[in-house]
Amino acid sequence: MKKEKSFLRKHACLKIADFMATGYLFETGFLTIALTGSLPEKWIQPWNEIIKRRKAGYIIEPVIAETCYQLMTKKGIKKEMSMNYIMNIKSLDSMNILNLGDNDSFKASLYRTRFNKFSLSLVDCFILATANRLKLKIYTIDERLKKVAKLMNISYNYLPIRS
């Protein structure tokens, strides 16, 4: 009975966080595989919701920089083509490029310190700060980011894939 209550409480919190999410916030790994056309089946529908303007998508500028870097270095895509991919994403009406403010910077540095044992990048901490502030659901392939989002009760969708 005790295990059952714990299970229900845990899953109720995730469902509430999912319900409260106002849009999707994409991290570098997700964006990289989306732009190279290798999204897994589970993520095709949410991505299409953005493309077809049914749901709002969000990206922060540091993720754009990381994605461009990954496309060039890990995917071997030339600079011009990488920039075209990025500009096409930025031009979507349903994709919002978020500005980071002072509070996001302070929160990101706090999270980097607070969750030090997870070795999160500063970009990951900005993602957490932004998702927390705007109540966005994070789409990620980063297990460390997923673990901290779970601890913070931030809605997320995680798939363990390599970009």
Side-chain angles (χ1 to χ4, degrees):
M1 183 70 161
K2 200 173 197 179
K3 280 185 180 179
E4 189 176 303
K5 281 184 181 179
S6 174
F7 175 82
L8 290 173
R9 199 173 304 123
K10 177 181 173 185
H11 290 284
C13 287
L14 289 177
K15 295 214 185 284
I16 289 168
D18 279 350
F19 177 73
M20 291 176 58
T22 58
Y24 306 144
L25 180 62
F26 301 116
E27 59 87 48
T28 305
F30 177 95
L31 203 53
T32 301
I33 61 175
L35 292 174
T36 56
S38 48
L39 272 180
E41 183 79 25
K42 179 181 177 182
W43 282 352
I44 291 173
Q45 181 187 354
W47 184 245
N48 283 338
E49 287 177 339
I50 303 297
I51 303 299
K52 295 176 181 174
R53 300 182 186 134
R54 291 188 197 129
K55 194 80 169 178
Y58 297 87
I59 306 172
I60 58 173
E61 282 291 344
V63 166
I64 290 171
E66 269 192 341
T67 301
C68 197
Y69 170 78
Q70 293 236 346
L71 289 171
M72 290 185 294
T73 60
K74 292 189 177 179
K75 298 294 183 181
I77 298 172
K78 296 202 181 295
K79 180 179 85 170
E80 294 77 20
M81 184 62 80
S82 296
M83 288 172 52
N84 284 340
Y85 281 153
I86 296 298
M87 295 314 290
N88 285 338
I89 288 299
K90 288 178 99 169
S91 70
L92 291 173
D93 291 339
S94 54
M95 190 63 75
N96 301 283
I97 311 304
L98 298 170
N99 293 319
L100 298 171
D102 290 341
N103 199 42
D104 294 316
S105 297
F106 298 133
K107 288 285 187 184
S109 64
L110 173 71
Y111 297 157
R112 182 107 190 252
T113 304
R114 185 170 162 202
F115 300 107
N116 186 0
K117 71 179 183 177
F118 292 97
S119 300
L120 294 173
S121 72
L122 199 49
V123 173
D124 291 340
C125 294
F126 273 112
I127 290 169
L128 290 165
T130 305
N132 197 29
R133 174 173 53 93
L134 298 174
K135 305 299 180 228
L136 300 173
K137 183 175 192 172
I138 299 171
Y139 275 76
T140 183
I141 64 170
D142 185 325
E143 186 173 11
R144 295 172 302 184
L145 180 58
K146 173 204 79 156
K147 286 179 180 179
V148 176
K150 185 176 183 176
L151 287 172
M152 293 178 64
N153 200 28
I154 294 173
S155 181
Y156 64 88
N157 195 316
Y158 165 77
L159 282 178
I161 6 179
R162 290 264 172 230
S163 62

